Amino acid sequence: MDRGPTMNDVADAASVSLKTVSRYVNGATNINPELAERIREAVESLGYRRNLAAASIRPGWTSRMLGLIIGDLGNPYYSTLARGVEREVHERGYILTTASSDEDATRNDELVERMLEQRVDGLIIVPPYTGGRSWADLPPPLPPRVLVDRPAPEGGGYAVLADNAAGASRAVELLLQQGARRVAFVGDSQLISTMAERRQGYESALTAAGLHADPELVDHGVHTDEQAEQAVARLLADRGADAVFAANNRASIGALRAFQARGTRVPLIGFDDFESADLTSPGTTVVSHDIAHMGAMAARTLLALIDGDEPAERTTVLPVSLHRRGSEVPAR
């Protein structure tokens, strides 16, 4: 692996001492502004990145650390995903560092930079839907990386995904088979590729049944349980929804809360399983993939890249399963 530019290189380019560069990169504020500006320009032009593990570097050295950046540590979906990654890499002797971007592009970029400074051997990332810095804009060397729950960028990259459109279509088809005709869609931003794919599956099932996909039955501004509860209550009271397709686990929980507040329920199917789905009455029917397996697959793909083995497929699409527990049936 290319060692990349060093502090000595920065010192030479800025015509300052190594000690001054060291003070600058470690946050000293009492540096002559002219010298600080020269160092900043040298850092940017060379693509210098702090190497916090520099003392340990030797020929053939690796950090034995991998980075995982997910969307929301508070979401059980991502904690399950992280466990799947961790179990897989632990068996290979790696330590996993996990952080959350909170779907914020700036925070994601900061986390990527910090992990690169730590010289992680590879990265698994759930990119934020708000975008972020292009990998092409980052100075080399860059470690192998795999995207999870998001498609790989055009022109390259590796990703592990679920079959979102097929799963959503299967859920809505079942609701229609139970007699529903005004199926509401409740989910997060359509800028999230998985959400866009689930809405596509929702609409394709309606179209196949000869029904119009009514935009008034769609709420894709839901990020929290509370927002989902409010959305479902409104769709039931104001839009006449007679069934709900909840496009993620938090939307499912919000729908259940809305039903409880109303004292009545309509047929419900969610996407992504959640811990208490079989404890509700009736149990909550979901379409889901094996989230821990998705994490494990992403880890295996990354480890193969680290070993120099290029996987045959750049995108791995995992199948989904339908778990019927009773909530898809109309209330008696």
Side-chain angles (χ1 to χ4, degrees), residues 231-245:
V232 171
R234 180 183 60 81
L235 290 165
L236 294 177
D238 300 340
R239 303 303 183 193
D242 60 8
V244 174
F245 170 60

Side-chain angles (χ1 to χ4, degrees), residues 195-245:
M195 281 293 138
E197 291 167 1
R198 292 172 192 180
R199 182 170 177 182
Q200 177 187 356
Y202 159 84
E203 292 181 346
S204 67
L206 293 174
T207 300
L211 297 173
H212 172 62
D214 186 348
E216 290 194 347
L217 289 172
V218 174
D219 193 320
H220 53 75
V222 170
H223 185 61
T224 66
D225 306 354
E226 293 78 11
Q227 290 172 345
E229 179 181 355
Q230 295 167 8
V232 171
R234 180 183 60 81
L235 290 165
L236 294 177
D238 300 340
R239 303 303 183 193
D242 60 8
V244 174
F245 170 60

Side-chain angles (χ1 to χ4, degrees), residues 32-173:
N32 181 290
E34 180 183 347
L35 299 183
E37 178 62 18
R38 280 163 35 194
I39 296 170
R40 185 193 65 77
E41 291 176 352
V43 165
E44 290 188 358
S45 64
L46 293 172
Y48 170 77
R49 184 178 295 121
R50 282 192 305 164
N51 184 357
L52 301 181
S56 302
I57 289 183
R58 57 186 180 276
W61 177 89
T62 68
S63 68
R64 305 301 292 178
M65 290 177 58
L66 301 175
L68 171 64
I69 301 175
I70 56 179
D72 181 0
L73 278 173
N75 190 328
Y77 177 96
Y78 288 120
S79 60
T80 302
L81 180 75
R83 283 199 302 270
V85 174
E86 188 168 41
R87 287 170 182 165
E88 193 71 24
V89 303
H90 176 73
E91 293 181 1
R92 287 283 303 273
Y94 284 89
I95 294 174
L96 183 69
T97 298
T98 304
S100 171
S101 70
D102 290 326
E103 295 289 357
D104 180 79
T106 299
R107 178 166 172 76
N108 178 78
D109 292 345
E110 292 172 351
L111 290 171
V112 168
E113 188 63 35
R114 289 298 301 275
M115 289 188 178
L116 293 178
E117 288 177 356
Q118 295 287 347
R119 292 301 196 264
V120 294
D121 292 339
L123 284 167
I124 297 174
I125 304 176
V126 180
Y129 70 83
T130 50
R133 184 170 47 191
S134 169
W135 287 100
D137 295 335
L138 291 172
L142 295 175
R145 54 206 176 273
V146 174
L147 304 189
V148 64
D149 206 32
R150 302 286 191 273
E154 292 185 10
Y158 294 86
V160 181
L161 310 167
D163 197 345
N164 293 287
S169 180
R170 190 173 177 186
V172 176
E173 286 171 4

